[in-house]
Amino acid sequence: MRILLIASAFNSLTQRVFAELRDHGHHLAVHLVTGDQALRETVRRHAPELIVAPMLKAAVPEDVWSAHTTLIVHPGPLGDRGPSSLDRAIQEGAERWGVTVLQANEVMDGGDVWAHVEFPVPPVGKSDLYRNELSDAASRAVLLAVERFASGSHTPCAQHGPGWDVPVRTRPYLRQGERRIDWSGDPTATVLRKLRAADSQPGVADELLGARWQLHGGHAEDELRGAPGELLATRAGAVCRATVDGAVWLPELRARRDAGAVAGVKLPATLALGERLPALPEVPAPLCLPEGRRTWTDLDYRERGPVGLLRFSFPGGAMSTAHCRRLLDAYRYACSRPTSVLVLGGGRDFFSNGIHLNVIEGAADPAVESWANINAMDDLVAELLTTTDRLVVAALGGNAAAGGAMLALAADEVWCREGVLLNPHYRLMGLYGSEYWTYTLPRRVGRAVAERLTGQALPVTADSAQRLGLVDRVVAAAPGEFGSEVARLAELLANRPALAERIAAKKAGRERDEAAKPLAAYRAEELAVMRRTFLDPRAPYHALRAAFVRKEPVRGTPEHLAWFSDQDVASY
C-alpha cells in the first residue's frame, strides 16, 4: 500500500514506524510538517492510499483528513486526550499506559479508534520509555491499524455512543509551574518523577548557583546527604543535589535562554556549570557496583562464570572524548579478567550514537573537540578489533547510529533486541565517518550494500539488519529483560565446546586482514577526510551540527524521505 507518513520530525518513533511498515512491504514517503499548504501539496502530489502520523504536534487540515483516511498515533490509553500524555503518566506515577491509533477528525484526539495497545511504565526517563515500551506498543498498534484498514472490512470504534464505555479525559499541556521542583518540600520520589517526565524535552526549569537552567534527567542516590537543594558531589560529569529525604544525580543541564536568544546547548552538568561550580568532591562509582546499591553510574562491570558483562549508558547515546576514554579504560580492565566471552552493552536504551555533538558545539573550538572526540572513538573501536583472546559480543538493547553503529560492528557478534533501529550512516550530519567503518561494514554486508546503507541514510530494523548481515542475533525480550537474556545466551556461547577453536580462528583471521591492509591504513584514510571537514568552517557539518544540537525547527522534508520508496531493505 502507498502510505504517506506525516510528522513534526523524523524522530525515533517516526523512524520505527517507517522501518516497520517498509519491512512489511508498504511503499512509503515522508512529509515533515511545516505548514498546512505544503502538506496539502504533498498529499495532492502523492495521492496516498493512507496517511499515518506517528508524531505530530499540529492539527491536520480538515480538507486533508476528510479526503484521505489519516491515522494519528496518540501516546495515551483509550479516552486520554491532550498534548502531554506521556509526561503526565510519568509524573503522576502511572504503572501502565497505552498507545491509541485513531482517525483524525475535528476533535483533537477524539477520532474513531483503529487500534490500541497497552504497555508497562517502569521507573525510567520519558525518552527511554518512548524509545522502548512505547515504541514497541506503537509499532504493534500501527501495524494492526494498517492491516485493519487494508482489509476494507474493519469498522473503527467511535469514542461515543453505546459501543464506548471508557471515560474521556482531556488534559492541557504540562507547563513548568506543574513541573517545578520544591527542593525544600518534595521527597526524592517526587523529584525523580518530575525529572524523568521531562528528561529529554522540555527539561525542568530551575535556578542553581545564581543562574537559570533546564534540568534534564535524574537518578537516585542512596548514600550522600545534605541540606535540601545543596550540591554535594560530582561524578563523571553529573552533579549530586540533596533532597529533603535523600539526594539525586543530575546528569545534564541546559542554560535557559531569554526570548529571542540563541537556544542553549544541553551539556554534562559540570561542563554546563563551568566556573560557577564550587569545589566539590568527585565521588566515582566503583566499576563493579555492589549488589543493593541505588546510585547512578554510567559504567558497570559484572561477571557470570566465563562471561564478562560491561554495560555503559551515556545520556542520549552520545559519547564525548571523556566518555570514550573512560569506556576504553573499563574495557581494558574487562579484558584483563579471566573470561572467554565479553559482552559490551546490554542496557535497555541507546547503545551509542557516536561522537558527542552537544559537547562539541559547546566547546571553545568545536573543530579541535571534534578531532579529539573522533580519535577517542577510534581508539575504543581499535581496542575491540584487536581483542583476539576472547569473543566480544555487542549487545544492543536500544538504538545505534553513525559511529555508535560502527562501534557495534567491531565486535565478533552483534545481538539486538527486537525493536532496535540501526542507522549505519553519517552523511545526514555532513560527515564521511570513521570508527574503521570502511573495514567493518563491507566485511559484514559487502561493498555494494555498504554503499547503499551509507548513501540512502535510512533506518533499518533489527530483523532487516539480521537479513543483511549487520546483526547476528535478534533477541526477543522486553526492554527491561534484555540484559538478563543476553547474559544467559552469552553463558551458552561461552560453554560451547568449539569456543577455543573459534577464538583461534578469529586471531588468525585478524592477522590475515592486517597483512592485507593494516587497520592503521583504514584509520588514516578515514581521518584524513574527517580532518578536512572539521577544519573547514564552510563545511555543512558545522551548520548541521548546530541545528541538531539546538533543536532548530525543521524547514522541510529531506529529499531522501520525500518520495515513495519501492526498494525493500531485504533486497539489498
Side-chain angles (χ1 to χ4, degrees):
M1 191 159 51
R2 289 165 61 87
I3 301 175
L4 175 65
L5 298 186
I6 61 174
S8 297
F10 199 53
N11 72 337
S12 62
L13 183 56
T14 307
Q15 290 183 37
R16 174 78 181 270
V17 170
F18 173 92
E20 294 280 6
L21 288 173
R22 195 172 181 223
D23 278 6
H24 281 74
H26 298 289
H27 304 305
L28 303 170
V30 177
H31 175 81
L32 301 185
V33 175
T34 56
D36 289 353
Q37 191 54 39
L39 174 58
R40 292 185 179 103
E41 291 171 1
T42 297
V43 171
R44 189 161 48 246
R45 182 169 64 250
H46 287 314
E49 298 170 76
L50 178 66
I51 299 174
V52 177
M55 193 283 290
L56 189 61
K57 297 179 180 179
V60 180
E62 181 177 356
D63 57 313
V64 172
W65 58 254
S66 61
H68 301 267
T69 299
T70 302
L71 302 184
I72 307 294
V73 179
H74 175 66
L78 292 172
D80 176 83
R81 299 179 187 178
S84 299
S85 179
L86 192 61
D87 305 54
R88 289 188 179 277
I90 296 170
Q91 185 156 316
E92 294 170 7
E95 295 183 353
R96 292 193 65 78
W97 207 239
V99 172
T100 305
V101 178
L102 46 89
Q103 188 165 335
N105 66 7
E106 67 277 4
V107 179
M108 185 70 74
D109 299 329
D112 296 352
V113 175
W114 282 84
H116 170 254
V117 175
E118 291 189 349
F119 60 88
V121 182
V124 298
K126 178 177 69 172
S127 57
D128 182 337
L129 184 69
Y130 185 85
R131 284 186 292 267
N132 289 287
E133 282 85 357
L134 185 143
S135 179
D136 288 352
S139 174
R140 292 196 298 272
V142 168
L143 291 174
L144 177 58
V146 170
E147 180 184 341
R148 286 172 170 174
F149 176 82
S151 74
S153 60
H154 181 79
T155 301
C157 180
Q159 293 192 50
H160 56 82
W164 182 260
D165 61 357
V166 179
V168 171
R169 183 168 59 165
T170 302
R171 294 190 290 177
Y173 179 75
L174 185 59
R175 300 192 179 279
Q176 286 294 339
E178 293 180 79
R179 298 182 188 271
R180 185 182 66 84
I181 294 172
D182 178 3
W183 292 98
S184 64
D186 285 345
T188 301
T190 299
V191 171
L192 287 173
R193 285 199 302 271
K194 289 179 176 180
L195 290 168
R196 288 169 178 160
D199 72 334
S200 52
Q201 288 293 329
V204 175
D206 199 18
E207 293 189 3
L208 183 61
L209 302 178
R212 301 191 306 157
W213 306 92
Q214 299 295 125
L215 313 181
H216 293 274
H219 307 274
E221 164 57 32
D222 58 357
E223 292 184 351
L224 298 175
R225 297 291 182 267
E230 178 187 5
L231 291 183
L232 306 175
T234 62
R235 175 181 295 163
V239 294
C240 187
R241 194 172 187 185
T243 63
V244 293
D245 61 349
V248 295
W249 288 97
L250 305 173
E252 293 185 311
L253 306 179
R254 175 170 54 88
R256 292 172 64 187
R257 62 171 174 170
D258 296 322
V262 177
V265 177
K266 182 167 61 176
L267 294 169
T270 56
L271 191 59
L273 291 169
E275 295 181 356
R276 295 177 183 272
L277 189 66
L280 294 172
E282 172 75 9
V283 182
L287 184 58
C288 306
L289 195 67
E291 293 289 344
R293 283 295 311 274
R294 189 167 179 254
T295 188
W296 171 77
T297 179
D298 54 9
L299 290 171
D300 179 68
Y301 179 75
R302 300 183 185 278
E303 289 180 2
R304 192 162 151 173
V307 175
L309 302 159
L310 178 56
R311 296 189 186 184
F312 61 98
S313 178
F314 303 128
M319 296 173 61
S320 67
T321 303
H323 288 137
C324 293
R325 289 172 178 167
R326 290 176 52 242
L327 180 54
L328 177 57
D329 288 343
Y331 181 84
R332 285 172 172 163
Y333 169 78
C335 285
S336 73
R337 301 291 300 159
T339 59
S340 55
V341 172
L342 175 57
V343 176
L344 182 66
R348 55 164 283 129
D349 198 14
F350 278 127
F351 179 77
S352 171
N353 286 324
I355 59 176
H356 203 311
L357 298 175
N358 288 54
V359 169
I360 289 168
E361 181 70 11
D365 189 332
V368 170
E369 181 55 33
S370 296
W371 182 246
N373 201 165
I374 195 63
N375 274 280
M377 280 291 295
D378 281 4
D379 290 344
L380 175 61
V381 174
E383 199 76 13
L384 268 69
L385 289 170
T386 55
T387 299
T388 57
D389 63 345
R390 68 198 71 205
L391 286 187
V392 180
V393 174
L396 281 63
N399 300 343
M406 304 310 174
L407 168 63
L409 299 188
D412 302 301
E413 292 194 11
V414 179
W415 300 354
C416 281
R417 190 184 78 81
E418 59 179 0
V420 161
L421 287 180
L422 297 178
N423 276 283
H425 52 80
Y426 301 86
R427 77 171 181 86
L428 300 182
M429 196 51 61
L431 293 173
Y432 177 74
S434 191
E435 292 96 4
Y436 299 86
W437 78 265
T438 53
Y439 168 63
T440 58
L441 186 58
R443 179 179 66 166
R444 275 191 164 265
V445 302
R447 190 159 302 281
V449 173
E451 289 176 357
R452 288 181 183 175
L453 287 170
T454 54
Q456 291 186 347
L458 294 173
V460 180
T461 65
D463 286 337
S464 285
Q466 186 176 35
R467 289 194 293 270
L468 291 171
L470 279 171
V471 168
D472 301 286
R473 184 190 294 250
V474 176
V475 179
E481 298 168 358
F482 177 72
S484 58
E485 179 63 7
V486 162
R488 185 187 70 82
L489 293 170
E491 276 194 282
L492 294 176
L493 176 61
N495 289 319
R496 288 181 183 173
L499 182 66
E501 228 174 274
R502 185 175 171 191
I503 292 172
K506 164 190 172 176
K507 185 174 186 295
R510 173 85 284 282
E511 290 170 353
R512 286 193 301 272
D513 286 356
E514 187 70 12
K517 182 176 181 179
L519 286 176
Y522 290 99
R523 178 169 178 162
E525 291 167 0
E526 293 168 359
L527 288 180
V529 182
M530 294 287 273
R531 184 176 177 82
R532 286 197 297 272
T533 299
F534 293 155
L535 296 180
D536 181 0
R538 298 165 299 178
Y541 159 68
H542 300 289
L544 290 168
R545 181 192 69 238
F548 174 82
V549 164
R550 300 181 189 279
K551 307 297 181 187
E552 293 181 6
V554 297
R555 298 177 181 175
T557 305
E559 187 176 351
H560 73 295
L561 299 176
W563 301 98
F564 279 105
S565 170
D566 296 323
Q567 175 69 57
D568 179 18
V569 172
S571 67
Y572 277 171

